């Protein structure tokens, strides 16, 4: 692994299989390590094994020679993660933590805490990226909603809406909504690319400036765009293949079944390839290799990654709504005709509600995007630690001494 945030693609992981035996090779009996404890030939009589009281020196017979005449042992480095633990200690010694996470398999709380800790410790790099991207996206979205959707909105004061008016309104809104989604997608790609580099350095305890993050992310940016578009195209084709043919039958039961099947497959593929962006940016491979890496890392951990991803999405959506809804309500109350105007599509295109809603969106995205990106990167790191022993590579890159010796 390099000391830079880009991590080299690993070889076969320990879980890929054990070392095959050579034909004709005889299994070797286990040998005793050279540093194994040597028991003293002179043992104390029965009933005289004692441990010194707290604060009391060992008996003279044991001084300099270890307990019960044992030779003194040097500090032992071992355990599951290779960190020192003295004799008589219970439990796993604490893992090294050069950066925002300990170098061992992570729990849910440690993944979320690592994402938040990176925002706090590296806010000078994280906030400028998210604020600039969120501001550009929200301003363009505001202009699109104001000037493109104002003529398409149907006011509730006009009376009943005819089906033709409704279809025309939906057809006119479709390009606007597609443009807004593309803006969000483009902003999300840039933020994901740059924040991935910042989080990868934060794991090693290293700081990264905005210029350094852009320099590291730029070579892979086009591939990240291609990966994102490929995933979107695959999702659209999945819906077309499963739902459109059944829709022509007019059978509500078959249509509902097709929709459920489509949602299930979409969720399975979404989680299966959820780590592809991190693999693409940090291993600097191709689009297809990143998809294969994500599929391998997610295998046998699909439900766990699904739960963490859904929980993160719920937390971020609730946080965004807490910020956006009050500002939106203030906009309708101060600049509109009260909260009842929230049901009027035409009132939603007024300047006051749009501006306050956009301000809330900027604040929410500045916090939500780093958390989402951070959880994805840390899930990728966690899976590689569990499957491939990446903690050894990270410790070496972070300069941790005597790791796993």
């Amino acid at each position: 692994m390099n000391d830079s945030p880009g991590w080299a693609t690993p070889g076969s992981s320990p879980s890929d299989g054990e070392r095959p035996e050579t034909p004709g090779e005889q299994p070797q009996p286990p040998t005793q390590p050279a540093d194994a404890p040597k028991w003293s030939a002179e043992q104390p009589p029965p009933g005289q094994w004692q441990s010194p009281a707290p604060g009391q020196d060992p008996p003279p017979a044991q001084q300099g020679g270890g307990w019960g005449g044992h030779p003194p042992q040097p500090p032992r480095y071992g355990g599951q993660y290779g960190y020192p633990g003295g004799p008589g200690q219970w439990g796993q010694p604490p893992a090294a933590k050069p950066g925002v996470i300990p170098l061992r398999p992570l729990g849910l709380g440690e993944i979320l805490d690592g994402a938040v800790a990176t925002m706090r410790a590296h806010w000078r790099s994280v906030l400028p990226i998210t604020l600039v991207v969120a501001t550009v996206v929200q301003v363009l979205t505001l202009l699109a909603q104001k000037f493109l959707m104002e003529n398409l909105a149907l006011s509730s004061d006009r009376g009943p809406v005819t089906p033709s008016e409704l279809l025309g309104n939906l057809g006119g809104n479709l390009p606007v909504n597609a443009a807004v989604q593309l803006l969000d997608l483009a902003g999300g790609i840039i933020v994901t690319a740059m924040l991935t580099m910042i989080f990868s350095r934060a794991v090693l305890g290293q700081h990264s400036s905005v210029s350094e993050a852009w320099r590291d992310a730029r070579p892979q940016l086009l591939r990240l765009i291609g990966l994102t578009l490929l995933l979107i195209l695959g999702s659209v084709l999945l819906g077309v293949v499963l739902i459109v043919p059944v829709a022509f039958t007019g059978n509500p039961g078959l249509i509902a079944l097709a929709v459920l099947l489509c949602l299930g497959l979409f969720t399975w593929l979404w989680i299966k390839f959820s780590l592809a962006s991190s693999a693409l940016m940090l291993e600097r491979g191709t689009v297809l290799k990143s998809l294969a890496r994500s599929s391998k890392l997610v295998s046998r951990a699909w439900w766990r990654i699904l739960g963490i991803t859904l929980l993160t999405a719920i937390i971020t959506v609730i946080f965004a709504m807490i910020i956006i809804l009050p500002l939106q309500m203030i906009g309708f109350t101060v600049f509109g005709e009260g909260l009842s105007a929230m049901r009027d599509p035409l009132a939603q295109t007024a300047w006051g509600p749009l501006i306050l809603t956009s301000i809330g969106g900027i604040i929410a995205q500045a916090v939500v995007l780093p958390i989402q990106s951070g959880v994805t990167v840390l899930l990728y790191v966690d899976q590689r630690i569990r499957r491939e022993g990446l903690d050894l590579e990270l410790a070496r890159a972070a300069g941790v001494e005597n790791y796993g010796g």
Side-chain angles (χ1 to χ4, degrees), residues 5-7 192-193 195-197 199-200 220 224 227 273-285 290-291 293-294 297 372-381 384:
W7 298 323
T192 299
L195 291 184
T196 298
M197 298 304 168
F199 274 92
S200 66
Q220 292 293 99
L224 182 61
L227 172 65
F273 299 126
S274 60
L275 306 182
S277 61
S278 298
L280 179 71
M281 298 303 299
L282 297 177
E283 298 179 13
R284 301 186 179 278
S290 66
L291 292 173
R293 287 288 292 141
S294 177
L297 292 173
Q372 293 175 336
S373 300
V375 168
T376 301
V377 173
L378 295 182
L379 275 174
Y380 165 83
V381 173
R384 285 196 60 182

Side-chain angles (χ1 to χ4, degrees), residues 76-85 91-97 102-107 110 382 385-387 389-393 395 400-405:
R76 303 297 298 272
Y77 293 82
Q80 185 177 358
Y81 308 114
Y83 285 92
Q92 179 65 41
K97 189 178 180 181
L103 300 184
R104 55 171 172 74
L106 304 174
E110 291 169 328
D382 174 61
I385 289 176
R386 294 172 183 268
R387 300 288 300 277
L390 183 65
D391 53 332
L392 298 174
E393 301 277 354
V400 179
E401 297 181 357
N402 299 322
Y403 184 91

Side-chain angles (χ1 to χ4, degrees), residues 230-231 233-239 242 261-276 291 294-295 298 302 305-306:
L230 180 62
L231 293 176
L233 179 61
S235 302
V236 173
L237 290 178
L238 182 65
L242 294 179
L261 180 60
C262 182
L263 289 176
L265 287 176
F266 173 79
T267 303
W268 179 69
L269 293 173
W270 172 46
I271 298 300
K272 185 179 180 66
F273 299 126
S274 60
L275 306 182
L291 292 173
S294 177
S295 177
V298 172
W302 189 91
I305 296 177
L306 172 66

Side-chain angles (χ1 to χ4, degrees), residues 36-118:
K38 303 286 191 305
W39 294 97
S40 174
E42 297 180 1
Q43 303 296 333
Q48 296 188 9
W49 289 91
Q50 297 180 356
S51 297
Q56 179 183 354
D57 294 331
Q62 298 173 346
Q63 292 182 356
W67 289 100
H70 303 172
Q73 297 296 316
R76 303 297 298 272
Y77 293 82
Q80 185 177 358
Y81 308 114
Y83 285 92
Q89 288 186 351
W90 291 89
Q92 179 65 41
K97 189 178 180 181
V100 294
I101 59 170
L103 300 184
R104 55 171 172 74
L106 304 174
L108 169 61
E110 291 169 328
I111 291 176
L112 294 175
D113 180 70
V116 176
T118 303

Side-chain angles (χ1 to χ4, degrees), residues 14-296:
S15 61
D16 291 338
E18 298 180 354
R19 173 181 176 271
E21 295 184 359
T22 305
E25 181 182 358
Q26 298 296 328
Q28 298 296 327
T31 59
Q32 184 178 12
D35 61 345
K38 303 286 191 305
W39 294 97
S40 174
E42 297 180 1
Q43 303 296 333
Q48 296 188 9
W49 289 91
Q50 297 180 356
S51 297
Q56 179 183 354
D57 294 331
Q62 298 173 346
Q63 292 182 356
W67 289 100
H70 303 172
Q73 297 296 316
R76 303 297 298 272
Y77 293 82
Q80 185 177 358
Y81 308 114
Y83 285 92
Q89 288 186 351
W90 291 89
Q92 179 65 41
K97 189 178 180 181
V100 294
I101 59 170
L103 300 184
R104 55 171 172 74
L106 304 174
L108 169 61
E110 291 169 328
I111 291 176
L112 294 175
D113 180 70
V116 176
T118 303
M119 290 179 55
R120 290 199 310 246
H122 305 273
W123 63 269
R124 291 182 178 86
S125 302
V126 173
L127 284 183
I129 296 173
T130 55
L131 282 176
V132 169
V133 173
T135 301
V136 172
V137 170
Q138 289 296 325
V139 168
L140 294 178
T141 302
L142 183 150
L143 296 177
Q145 292 175 338
K146 175 62 180 177
F147 295 107
L148 296 181
M149 297 186 66
E150 186 175 29
N151 297 328
L152 299 173
L154 298 176
S155 175
S156 58
D157 298 334
R158 296 175 53 187
V161 180
T162 62
S164 59
E165 289 178 335
L166 181 60
L167 290 176
N169 185 66
L170 292 176
N173 287 342
L174 185 60
V176 179
N177 292 329
V180 171
Q181 294 300 322
L182 286 176
L183 290 174
D184 290 337
L185 178 63
I189 290 175
I190 296 175
V191 170
T192 299
M194 298 181 68
L195 291 184
T196 298
M197 298 304 168
I198 293 177
F199 274 92
S200 66
R201 288 181 179 268
V203 170
L204 303 177
Q206 302 173 358
H207 291 273
S208 179
S209 63
V210 176
S211 60
E212 290 173 339
W214 172 250
R215 182 192 62 207
D216 294 334
R218 185 173 55 188
Q220 292 293 99
L221 196 56
L222 289 179
R223 288 180 175 177
L224 182 61
I225 294 174
L227 172 65
T228 306
L229 294 179
L230 180 62
L231 293 176
I232 293 175
L233 179 61
S235 302
V236 173
L237 290 178
L238 182 65
V240 170
V241 170
L242 294 179
I243 298 178
V244 172
V246 180
F248 287 105
T249 63
N251 189 325
L254 289 178
I255 295 176
L257 182 61
V259 170
L260 291 176
L261 180 60
C262 182
L263 289 176
L265 287 176
F266 173 79
T267 303
W268 179 69
L269 293 173
W270 172 46
I271 298 300
K272 185 179 180 66
F273 299 126
S274 60
L275 306 182
S277 61
S278 298
L280 179 71
M281 298 303 299
L282 297 177
E283 298 179 13
R284 301 186 179 278
T286 62
V287 172
L288 295 181
K289 285 184 178 180
S290 66
L291 292 173
R293 287 288 292 141
S294 177
S295 177
K296 178 182 177 181

Side-chain angles (χ1 to χ4, degrees), residues 330-342:
I330 293 173
F332 283 112
T333 303
V334 176
F335 301 99
E337 300 177 356
L339 297 180
S340 60
M342 297 180 68

